[in-house]
Amino acid sequence: MVFIVTALMIEAAPIIEYYSLKKDMSVKAFQVYKNSDMVLIISGVGKIKSAMAVVHLLSIYNKGSKMDGSDVYSNDILVNIGLCGAGDSNYDIGRLLIINKVTDMDTGRDYYPDVFCGKNLPSVSLCCYSRPIKSKDMKVFCDMESAGIMEATKKFFYAHQVLILKVISDYLAPEKLDKKFLKSLIENNITLIDNTLREVKYLNEKFKKFSLNEEESKFVEKIVKNLKFTDMMKQIIVKDIVNAKKKGTDVLNVLGFSLESKVNSKLEGKKIFEHIRQKLK
Amino acid sequence: MNTLDKSSNKIDYKGEGFKTKNLFNVIYVEEAAFKYPITKEVLDKYCNLQVITIRHYKDVFNRTNQHFQIQKQYQSLILAVKDKPFLYEGPQVCQNFGYPNFYYTSFLLNCIFDCGYCYLQGMYNSANIVAFVNVEDFKNSIEQESLKKPVFLAVSYDTDLIGFYNIIPYIDYFYGFFKMHPALTVEIRTKSGNQSFYKTHTALDNIVIAFTLSPQEIIEKYEKNTPPLKTRIKAIKTALDQGFKVRICLDPVFINPVADHLYEPFYEYVFSEINANKILDLSFGFFRMSKEFFKRIKKQSEYSDLFLDEYCLNENVISYPKEYQNNIMTRHYQILTNYMKKEKIFSL
Ligand code: SF4
C-alpha cells in the first residue's frame, strides 16, 4: 500500500485526479481518498496534524500488513507530498525536491530518511517550523509537516520507506501565493512523483522475496480463523513459514492439510498448531 | 589490480570479487569532523557525492528503523570523530595468540564486504560505514597503553581495513606509528586481494597480516563482494614475498554435510600454493556468535540460511555442539598438521 499525506486540498487535488482516488466516506476525522493500492489523507497544516494523520491512516488501513514477522510494515511506503518555501534561490519555483534530512526547529531534533530512490531529483535538507517563515536571509528549505511525518512513521516503517517530496512554492514570501498556481506546482511534477513512488515500490518488492505473498497471507488468515489461533500463534506461524521458504519448502503444499481442519476449542487448535510447526521444520 | 578513478567515484576491483559503480549512496559528515584532513581527502575524492551534515554519527547510525540488508546495497559513509574509549579489551570469542594483553580498536564500523555470517548484522542497527577521522587521538590512546606493557592489538575487527584501503588508507596513516612502537604487535585481518600496501611499505616485525580463507564454494555462498580464493592467495604470496608476517585464519569453519567435503581439497589447494613454512601461524575457529547478535539477526526480515541450522548455546555463545566440534576439529587437524606443526595452530 502507498500512503500519501498532504497538508492541504490544493496539494492533494492533482494526486487524487492522477490516480483516480475516490473519497472514503467511512472516515470522518480526516478527508481520505483511496484506490486499491493507495490511500491519501489530508492532514491539515502543522506537524502535530501530520503525525495524527499518519497514525490514523495506519490504524484504519494497515491491519494485518505485518506479515513477515518483523516489527515494521515492510510492504508499504509512506510519502509526504507538499509545498515548501526556499531561502535558496538557486532552485527554481516549481522544482521537486527529495528530502534527506528533516530538522524539527522546535526541538532541534534531526531525522534522516534513507533516500535510495529519486536520484534524478535534487536531494536537500528541510527545516520544519511551527509557523510560516518569511525571512529571506535564511539559506534553508522550510515546511510545517515533515517532522510530524518522520516522528510518527519511525516506529512503523523502515527509514527507506518514508519519502518526503516537496515542491518549491516561494522564496519565503508565502503571502503572495495564488491557489491555482499552487495546485499547478504539484500538477506539473506528477509524473516525476509517480516515477519516484514506483522506484520505491520496486525496491520494496525486490527485498520481499521471503515475506509472505498474497496467496500465503490469505492462507494464514484462513487457518488462524479456522483453528482459533491467538495473535502470538499467528506471529510464530508466519515466522516459521518465512524460515521454511528460505529453505526452499513449498509451504502451501506442505500445509495443505490444515486448510480443511476446523476446531471447536483453543486446545484442539493448539494441537494442530504444534503439528503445523513440526511440518514446517 | 584495484583501480580507483578518483574523479568519478568509481571503484573497480576487477578480478577481486567486488565491482560497483557508486560506492556510497551519500556521505554524512559530523560537524566536528570537517576540520580533519581525512575528511577533506575523502570529500575531494568523492566530490560528486551528496554530503549531508550531521551533529553526531549516532543520530544516523543508531536509528532503530534501518533495513540492514537493503542499506547494505546502498551503503553510505559516515565521517565522524571518535570519542573515548579508543581501545577495547579483546573479546572472548576471538583468539589472543598467547598474548595476555589483547586489545582491539575500530577506526571503521562496518565493512564493504557482505558476509552472510557476519556478526555485524546483529551488532549494529545500520549497514552504513562509520569512518573515524581523528587518527591522532587513536594513536595517543594506543601509545599510552602500549608504553605500559607489550600489547597485541587487532585493528581490523568489525571491518576489513585492507578492503577499505582505496577509500581511506588507514594503515598508511598508522604505519609510522606502528614502526615507532615495536612493543605493539598489530594484527590486520583481511579478506581483501588489494596488494598496494605490501608493495609500497617495508615489512615490519610487529605487523601481522591475517588472511581469512575459505573454500571457494563457501566464499561464493556466504562471502558476498569478497575476492575469490585465488585472488586472496595471490595477495598472500605478495605479502610473503615482501617479507610480511602472514597468519592464515580458517574462521569461520562450517559443519554441515555439504561443507564437510569442501575442506580437505581446500587445504590441499592452499598449501600447494603457499609454502606453509613461511606462514607465521594459523587460527582455526568454527562458526560462532553471541546469543544476542544471533537473535537480533533472526529478527530481521532477511538473513542467511545459516541461521536456520541447529546450534547449541554455551556460555552465551551460539555454535555447533561441542562433540561435533571435537570430531570435526580432529579431522581438520589431521590434515592441517601435514603442513604445519600443531604448536602453530591456534584454536578457540
Ligand atoms: S569481511 Fe569480516 S567484517 Fe567484513 S562482512 Fe565479512 S565477516 Fe564481516
Short mmCIF file of all heavy atoms in Angstrom, two decimals, chain B residues 65-114:
data_model
loop_
_atom_site.label_atom_id
_atom_site.label_comp_id
_atom_site.label_asym_id
_atom_site.label_seq_id
_atom_site.Cartn_x
_atom_site.Cartn_y
_atom_site.Cartn_z
N ASN B 65 15.08 2.09 12.82
CA ASN B 65 14.24 1.55 11.74
C ASN B 65 15.01 1.42 10.42
O ASN B 65 14.51 1.78 9.36
CB ASN B 65 12.99 2.42 11.55
CG ASN B 65 13.35 3.85 11.22
OD1 ASN B 65 14.49 4.28 11.44
ND2 ASN B 65 12.41 4.60 10.67
N GLN B 66 16.23 0.93 10.50
CA GLN B 66 17.01 0.76 9.28
C GLN B 66 16.91 -0.69 8.81
O GLN B 66 16.95 -1.61 9.62
CB GLN B 66 18.47 1.13 9.54
CG GLN B 66 18.61 2.55 10.05
CD GLN B 66 20.05 2.89 10.45
OE1 GLN B 66 20.89 3.13 9.62
NE2 GLN B 66 20.32 2.89 11.75
N HIS B 67 16.81 -0.86 7.51
CA HIS B 67 16.74 -2.22 6.95
C HIS B 67 18.17 -2.60 6.55
O HIS B 67 18.68 -2.13 5.54
CB HIS B 67 15.81 -2.20 5.74
CG HIS B 67 15.44 -3.58 5.25
ND1 HIS B 67 16.37 -4.47 4.79
CD2 HIS B 67 14.25 -4.20 5.18
CE1 HIS B 67 15.76 -5.58 4.43
NE2 HIS B 67 14.48 -5.45 4.66
N PHE B 68 18.80 -3.45 7.37
CA PHE B 68 20.22 -3.73 7.21
C PHE B 68 20.54 -4.21 5.80
O PHE B 68 21.48 -3.74 5.16
CB PHE B 68 20.67 -4.77 8.25
CG PHE B 68 22.16 -4.83 8.42
CD1 PHE B 68 22.78 -4.14 9.44
CD2 PHE B 68 22.94 -5.57 7.55
CE1 PHE B 68 24.17 -4.17 9.59
CE2 PHE B 68 24.32 -5.61 7.69
CZ PHE B 68 24.93 -4.91 8.72
N GLN B 69 19.73 -5.16 5.30
CA GLN B 69 20.09 -5.77 4.01
C GLN B 69 19.90 -4.82 2.84
O GLN B 69 20.71 -4.83 1.90
CB GLN B 69 19.28 -7.06 3.79
CG GLN B 69 19.46 -8.11 4.86
CD GLN B 69 20.92 -8.45 5.13
OE1 GLN B 69 21.78 -8.25 4.27
NE2 GLN B 69 21.21 -8.94 6.31
N ILE B 70 18.85 -4.01 2.88
CA ILE B 70 18.67 -3.05 1.78
C ILE B 70 19.75 -1.98 1.87
O ILE B 70 20.37 -1.60 0.87
CB ILE B 70 17.26 -2.41 1.79
CG1 ILE B 70 16.18 -3.48 1.59
CG2 ILE B 70 17.15 -1.31 0.72
CD1 ILE B 70 14.77 -2.97 1.44
N GLN B 71 20.00 -1.53 3.09
CA GLN B 71 21.02 -0.50 3.28
C GLN B 71 22.39 -0.98 2.80
O GLN B 71 23.19 -0.20 2.28
CB GLN B 71 21.10 -0.16 4.76
CG GLN B 71 21.10 1.31 5.03
CD GLN B 71 21.10 1.60 6.50
OE1 GLN B 71 21.64 0.85 7.30
NE2 GLN B 71 20.49 2.69 6.87
N LYS B 72 22.64 -2.26 2.98
CA LYS B 72 23.92 -2.83 2.56
C LYS B 72 24.13 -2.61 1.04
O LYS B 72 25.25 -2.47 0.59
CB LYS B 72 23.94 -4.31 2.92
CG LYS B 72 25.27 -4.96 2.86
CD LYS B 72 26.06 -4.82 4.14
CE LYS B 72 27.53 -5.12 3.89
NZ LYS B 72 28.38 -4.92 5.04
N GLN B 73 23.02 -2.61 0.30
CA GLN B 73 23.12 -2.39 -1.16
C GLN B 73 23.30 -0.91 -1.48
O GLN B 73 23.62 -0.55 -2.59
CB GLN B 73 21.89 -2.90 -1.90
CG GLN B 73 21.41 -4.29 -1.52
CD GLN B 73 22.52 -5.32 -1.62
OE1 GLN B 73 23.23 -5.36 -2.62
NE2 GLN B 73 22.68 -6.13 -0.59
N TYR B 74 22.99 -0.05 -0.54
CA TYR B 74 23.09 1.41 -0.75
C TYR B 74 23.87 2.02 0.40
O TYR B 74 23.43 2.98 1.01
CB TYR B 74 21.69 2.03 -0.79
CG TYR B 74 20.81 1.54 -1.90
CD1 TYR B 74 20.02 0.41 -1.74
CD2 TYR B 74 20.76 2.22 -3.12
CE1 TYR B 74 19.21 -0.05 -2.76
CE2 TYR B 74 19.94 1.76 -4.14
CZ TYR B 74 19.17 0.63 -3.95
OH TYR B 74 18.37 0.18 -4.96
N GLN B 75 25.03 1.44 0.67
CA GLN B 75 25.77 1.89 1.85
C GLN B 75 26.15 3.36 1.77
O GLN B 75 26.55 3.84 0.70
CB GLN B 75 27.07 1.09 1.95
CG GLN B 75 26.97 -0.09 2.86
CD GLN B 75 28.27 -0.84 3.00
OE1 GLN B 75 29.06 -0.93 2.06
NE2 GLN B 75 28.49 -1.40 4.16
N SER B 76 26.03 4.04 2.88
CA SER B 76 26.52 5.41 2.97
C SER B 76 27.76 5.40 3.85
O SER B 76 27.96 4.50 4.65
CB SER B 76 25.46 6.32 3.57
OG SER B 76 24.41 6.50 2.65
N LEU B 77 28.56 6.45 3.68
CA LEU B 77 29.76 6.60 4.51
C LEU B 77 29.48 7.70 5.52
O LEU B 77 28.90 8.74 5.16
CB LEU B 77 30.94 6.97 3.61
CG LEU B 77 32.28 7.22 4.30
CD1 LEU B 77 32.80 5.95 4.96
CD2 LEU B 77 33.32 7.72 3.29
N ILE B 78 29.84 7.47 6.75
CA ILE B 78 29.65 8.49 7.79
C ILE B 78 31.02 8.87 8.33
O ILE B 78 31.73 8.01 8.86
CB ILE B 78 28.78 7.94 8.95
CG1 ILE B 78 27.44 7.42 8.41
CG2 ILE B 78 28.56 9.01 10.02
CD1 ILE B 78 26.59 6.68 9.45
N LEU B 79 31.42 10.11 8.16
CA LEU B 79 32.72 10.55 8.68
C LEU B 79 32.48 11.16 10.06
O LEU B 79 31.67 12.08 10.20
CB LEU B 79 33.35 11.57 7.74
CG LEU B 79 33.63 11.05 6.32
CD1 LEU B 79 34.16 12.17 5.42
CD2 LEU B 79 34.62 9.88 6.34
N ALA B 80 33.19 10.64 11.05
CA ALA B 80 32.87 11.04 12.41
C ALA B 80 34.13 11.17 13.26
O ALA B 80 35.20 10.69 12.89
CB ALA B 80 31.94 10.00 13.03
N VAL B 81 33.97 11.82 14.40
CA VAL B 81 35.07 11.96 15.35
C VAL B 81 34.79 11.02 16.51
O VAL B 81 33.74 11.11 17.14
CB VAL B 81 35.15 13.42 15.87
CG1 VAL B 81 36.28 13.57 16.88
CG2 VAL B 81 35.33 14.38 14.70
N LYS B 82 35.72 10.12 16.75
CA LYS B 82 35.51 9.12 17.82
C LYS B 82 35.82 9.75 19.16
O LYS B 82 36.76 10.49 19.33
CB LYS B 82 36.43 7.92 17.55
CG LYS B 82 36.43 6.86 18.64
CD LYS B 82 35.49 5.73 18.30
CE LYS B 82 35.58 4.59 19.30
NZ LYS B 82 34.85 4.79 20.54
N ASP B 83 34.96 9.38 20.10
CA ASP B 83 35.17 9.79 21.48
C ASP B 83 35.76 8.60 22.22
O ASP B 83 35.75 7.49 21.73
CB ASP B 83 33.78 10.12 22.05
CG ASP B 83 33.86 11.34 22.92
OD1 ASP B 83 34.98 11.71 23.30
OD2 ASP B 83 32.79 11.93 23.21
N LYS B 84 36.26 8.82 23.44
CA LYS B 84 36.77 7.71 24.25
C LYS B 84 35.72 6.61 24.40
O LYS B 84 34.54 6.95 24.41
CB LYS B 84 37.14 8.22 25.63
CG LYS B 84 38.54 8.81 25.69
CD LYS B 84 38.94 9.00 27.13
CE LYS B 84 38.80 10.45 27.50
NZ LYS B 84 39.10 10.86 28.82
N PRO B 85 36.01 5.37 24.56
CA PRO B 85 37.34 4.77 24.55
C PRO B 85 37.81 4.47 23.12
O PRO B 85 36.99 4.25 22.23
CB PRO B 85 37.12 3.46 25.31
CG PRO B 85 35.70 3.11 25.03
CD PRO B 85 34.96 4.39 24.87
N PHE B 86 39.12 4.44 22.96
CA PHE B 86 39.68 4.11 21.64
C PHE B 86 40.14 2.65 21.58
O PHE B 86 40.35 2.11 20.52
CB PHE B 86 40.86 5.04 21.33
CG PHE B 86 40.42 6.47 21.19
CD1 PHE B 86 40.45 7.32 22.28
CD2 PHE B 86 39.96 6.95 19.99
CE1 PHE B 86 40.03 8.63 22.17
CE2 PHE B 86 39.53 8.26 19.86
CZ PHE B 86 39.56 9.11 20.96
N LEU B 87 40.33 2.08 22.75
CA LEU B 87 40.77 0.67 22.82
C LEU B 87 39.76 -0.15 23.59
O LEU B 87 39.20 0.34 24.57
CB LEU B 87 42.10 0.59 23.59
CG LEU B 87 43.39 0.96 22.89
CD1 LEU B 87 44.56 0.61 23.79
CD2 LEU B 87 43.53 0.23 21.58
N TYR B 88 39.56 -1.38 23.14
CA TYR B 88 38.65 -2.27 23.84
C TYR B 88 39.39 -3.57 24.17
O TYR B 88 40.27 -3.98 23.41
CB TYR B 88 37.45 -2.62 22.97
CG TYR B 88 36.66 -1.42 22.52
CD1 TYR B 88 36.97 -0.77 21.33
CD2 TYR B 88 35.62 -0.92 23.29
CE1 TYR B 88 36.26 0.35 20.92
CE2 TYR B 88 34.90 0.20 22.89
CZ TYR B 88 35.22 0.83 21.70
OH TYR B 88 34.53 1.94 21.30
N GLU B 89 39.01 -4.18 25.26
CA GLU B 89 39.60 -5.49 25.59
C GLU B 89 39.20 -6.50 24.53
O GLU B 89 38.05 -6.49 24.07
CB GLU B 89 39.07 -5.97 26.94
CG GLU B 89 39.45 -5.05 28.06
CD GLU B 89 40.23 -5.75 29.16
OE1 GLU B 89 40.17 -6.99 29.22
OE2 GLU B 89 40.89 -5.04 29.93
N GLY B 90 40.11 -7.37 24.14
CA GLY B 90 39.81 -8.37 23.12
C GLY B 90 38.65 -9.26 23.55
O GLY B 90 38.60 -9.67 24.71
N PRO B 91 37.70 -9.52 22.66
CA PRO B 91 36.54 -10.33 23.05
C PRO B 91 36.91 -11.80 23.25
O PRO B 91 37.86 -12.31 22.66
CB PRO B 91 35.59 -10.18 21.86
CG PRO B 91 36.43 -9.69 20.72
CD PRO B 91 37.66 -9.06 21.28
N GLN B 92 36.10 -12.45 24.09
CA GLN B 92 36.33 -13.86 24.42
C GLN B 92 36.27 -14.76 23.20
O GLN B 92 36.96 -15.77 23.13
CB GLN B 92 35.25 -14.31 25.38
CG GLN B 92 35.74 -14.50 26.77
CD GLN B 92 34.70 -15.22 27.60
OE1 GLN B 92 33.54 -15.32 27.21
NE2 GLN B 92 35.12 -15.72 28.72
N VAL B 93 35.39 -14.43 22.25
CA VAL B 93 35.20 -15.30 21.08
C VAL B 93 36.35 -15.19 20.08
O VAL B 93 36.33 -15.81 19.03
CB VAL B 93 33.86 -15.02 20.36
CG1 VAL B 93 32.68 -15.57 21.13
CG2 VAL B 93 33.68 -13.55 20.04
N CYS B 94 37.35 -14.35 20.39
CA CYS B 94 38.47 -14.17 19.45
C CYS B 94 39.77 -14.69 20.06
O CYS B 94 39.97 -14.65 21.27
CB CYS B 94 38.64 -12.70 19.10
SG CYS B 94 37.21 -12.06 18.26
N GLN B 95 40.64 -15.12 19.16
CA GLN B 95 41.91 -15.72 19.54
C GLN B 95 42.91 -14.63 19.97
O GLN B 95 43.05 -13.61 19.28
CB GLN B 95 42.44 -16.47 18.30
CG GLN B 95 43.74 -17.15 18.45
CD GLN B 95 43.71 -18.19 19.55
OE1 GLN B 95 44.30 -18.00 20.60
NE2 GLN B 95 43.02 -19.30 19.31
N ASN B 96 43.65 -14.86 21.09
CA ASN B 96 44.64 -13.85 21.52
C ASN B 96 46.07 -14.26 21.16
O ASN B 96 47.02 -13.57 21.47
CB ASN B 96 44.51 -13.55 23.00
CG ASN B 96 44.83 -14.76 23.87
OD1 ASN B 96 45.24 -15.80 23.36
ND2 ASN B 96 44.64 -14.62 25.16
N PHE B 97 46.25 -15.42 20.56
CA PHE B 97 47.54 -15.94 20.11
C PHE B 97 48.59 -15.92 21.22
O PHE B 97 49.77 -15.64 20.99
CB PHE B 97 48.04 -15.17 18.88
CG PHE B 97 47.09 -15.31 17.73
CD1 PHE B 97 46.13 -14.33 17.50
CD2 PHE B 97 47.11 -16.42 16.90
CE1 PHE B 97 45.22 -14.47 16.47
CE2 PHE B 97 46.21 -16.56 15.87
CZ PHE B 97 45.26 -15.59 15.65
N GLY B 98 48.14 -16.16 22.43
CA GLY B 98 49.05 -16.26 23.56
C GLY B 98 49.44 -14.93 24.18
O GLY B 98 50.21 -14.90 25.13
N TYR B 99 48.91 -13.84 23.67
CA TYR B 99 49.26 -12.53 24.25
C TYR B 99 48.29 -12.23 25.40
O TYR B 99 47.07 -12.21 25.19
CB TYR B 99 49.13 -11.41 23.21
CG TYR B 99 50.19 -11.45 22.15
CD1 TYR B 99 50.04 -12.24 21.02
CD2 TYR B 99 51.33 -10.65 22.26
CE1 TYR B 99 51.00 -12.28 20.02
CE2 TYR B 99 52.30 -10.67 21.27
CZ TYR B 99 52.12 -11.49 20.16
OH TYR B 99 53.07 -11.50 19.18
N PRO B 100 48.82 -11.95 26.59
CA PRO B 100 47.90 -11.67 27.70
C PRO B 100 47.19 -10.32 27.54
O PRO B 100 46.07 -10.15 28.00
CB PRO B 100 48.81 -11.68 28.93
CG PRO B 100 50.20 -11.54 28.43
CD PRO B 100 50.23 -11.97 27.00
N ASN B 101 47.86 -9.35 26.92
CA ASN B 101 47.25 -8.02 26.80
C ASN B 101 46.68 -7.84 25.39
O ASN B 101 47.34 -7.31 24.50
CB ASN B 101 48.29 -6.92 27.08
CG ASN B 101 48.98 -7.15 28.40
OD1 ASN B 101 48.31 -7.37 29.41
ND2 ASN B 101 50.30 -7.16 28.39
N PHE B 102 45.49 -8.31 25.24
CA PHE B 102 44.86 -8.35 23.91
C PHE B 102 43.79 -7.27 23.82
O PHE B 102 42.85 -7.25 24.61
CB PHE B 102 44.28 -9.76 23.71
CG PHE B 102 43.35 -9.95 22.55
CD1 PHE B 102 43.48 -9.19 21.37
CD2 PHE B 102 42.34 -10.91 22.60
CE1 PHE B 102 42.61 -9.40 20.31
CE2 PHE B 102 41.48 -11.11 21.55
CZ PHE B 102 41.62 -10.35 20.40
N TYR B 103 43.99 -6.35 22.87
CA TYR B 103 43.02 -5.27 22.69
C TYR B 103 42.60 -5.21 21.22
O TYR B 103 43.30 -5.74 20.35
CB TYR B 103 43.65 -3.91 23.03
CG TYR B 103 43.95 -3.75 24.49
CD1 TYR B 103 45.21 -4.10 25.00
CD2 TYR B 103 43.00 -3.25 25.37
CE1 TYR B 103 45.50 -3.94 26.35
CE2 TYR B 103 43.28 -3.09 26.72
CZ TYR B 103 44.53 -3.45 27.20
OH TYR B 103 44.80 -3.30 28.52
N TYR B 104 41.51 -4.55 20.98
CA TYR B 104 41.20 -4.22 19.60
C TYR B 104 40.73 -2.78 19.52
O TYR B 104 40.33 -2.18 20.52
CB TYR B 104 40.18 -5.18 18.98
CG TYR B 104 38.73 -4.98 19.38
CD1 TYR B 104 37.86 -4.29 18.56
CD2 TYR B 104 38.25 -5.49 20.57
CE1 TYR B 104 36.53 -4.13 18.93
CE2 TYR B 104 36.94 -5.33 20.94
CZ TYR B 104 36.08 -4.64 20.11
OH TYR B 104 34.78 -4.46 20.47
N THR B 105 40.86 -2.23 18.33
CA THR B 105 40.42 -0.86 18.11
C THR B 105 39.69 -0.80 16.79
O THR B 105 39.92 -1.63 15.91
CB THR B 105 41.64 0.10 18.13
OG1 THR B 105 41.15 1.42 18.10
CG2 THR B 105 42.57 -0.10 16.95
N SER B 106 38.79 0.15 16.64
CA SER B 106 37.99 0.22 15.40
C SER B 106 38.04 1.61 14.80
O SER B 106 37.41 2.52 15.31
CB SER B 106 36.53 -0.13 15.69
OG SER B 106 36.43 -1.42 16.20
N PHE B 107 38.83 1.75 13.74
CA PHE B 107 38.82 3.02 13.00
C PHE B 107 37.55 3.09 12.16
O PHE B 107 37.11 4.15 11.75
CB PHE B 107 40.03 3.13 12.06
CG PHE B 107 41.33 2.78 12.70
CD1 PHE B 107 42.24 1.94 12.06
CD2 PHE B 107 41.67 3.28 13.95
CE1 PHE B 107 43.45 1.61 12.64
CE2 PHE B 107 42.87 2.94 14.55
CZ PHE B 107 43.77 2.10 13.89
N LEU B 108 37.05 1.91 11.84
CA LEU B 108 35.85 1.81 11.00
C LEU B 108 34.82 0.95 11.70
O LEU B 108 35.17 -0.04 12.34
CB LEU B 108 36.21 1.08 9.69
CG LEU B 108 37.08 1.79 8.67
CD1 LEU B 108 37.53 0.80 7.60
CD2 LEU B 108 36.31 2.92 8.02
N LEU B 109 33.56 1.30 11.56
CA LEU B 109 32.48 0.42 11.99
C LEU B 109 31.77 -0.03 10.72
O LEU B 109 31.36 0.80 9.92
CB LEU B 109 31.47 1.15 12.88
CG LEU B 109 32.02 1.99 14.04
CD1 LEU B 109 30.86 2.65 14.81
CD2 LEU B 109 32.83 1.12 14.99
N ASN B 110 31.66 -1.31 10.55
CA ASN B 110 31.05 -1.93 9.37
C ASN B 110 32.04 -2.09 8.22
O ASN B 110 33.15 -1.58 8.28
CB ASN B 110 29.80 -1.22 8.90
CG ASN B 110 28.56 -1.78 9.57
OD1 ASN B 110 28.54 -2.95 9.92
ND2 ASN B 110 27.54 -0.97 9.75
N CYS B 111 31.58 -2.75 7.19
CA CYS B 111 32.51 -3.32 6.23
C CYS B 111 31.97 -3.18 4.81
O CYS B 111 30.75 -3.18 4.62
CB CYS B 111 32.65 -4.80 6.59
SG CYS B 111 33.86 -5.67 5.65
N ILE B 112 32.87 -3.07 3.84
CA ILE B 112 32.37 -3.02 2.46
C ILE B 112 31.99 -4.41 1.95
O ILE B 112 31.30 -4.54 0.96
CB ILE B 112 33.39 -2.39 1.47
CG1 ILE B 112 34.72 -3.11 1.53
CG2 ILE B 112 33.53 -0.91 1.66
CD1 ILE B 112 35.59 -2.85 0.32
N PHE B 113 32.49 -5.44 2.61
CA PHE B 113 32.11 -6.79 2.21
C PHE B 113 30.76 -7.15 2.86
O PHE B 113 30.27 -6.42 3.72
CB PHE B 113 33.21 -7.79 2.60
CG PHE B 113 34.53 -7.52 1.91
CD1 PHE B 113 35.74 -7.65 2.59
CD2 PHE B 113 34.56 -7.11 0.58
CE1 PHE B 113 36.95 -7.39 1.95
CE2 PHE B 113 35.77 -6.85 -0.07
CZ PHE B 113 36.97 -6.98 0.62
N ASP B 114 30.20 -8.29 2.44
CA ASP B 114 28.82 -8.58 2.86
C ASP B 114 28.70 -10.07 3.17
O ASP B 114 28.01 -10.81 2.46
CB ASP B 114 27.89 -8.16 1.70
CG ASP B 114 26.43 -8.22 2.10
OD1 ASP B 114 26.15 -8.46 3.27
OD2 ASP B 114 25.58 -8.02 1.21
#
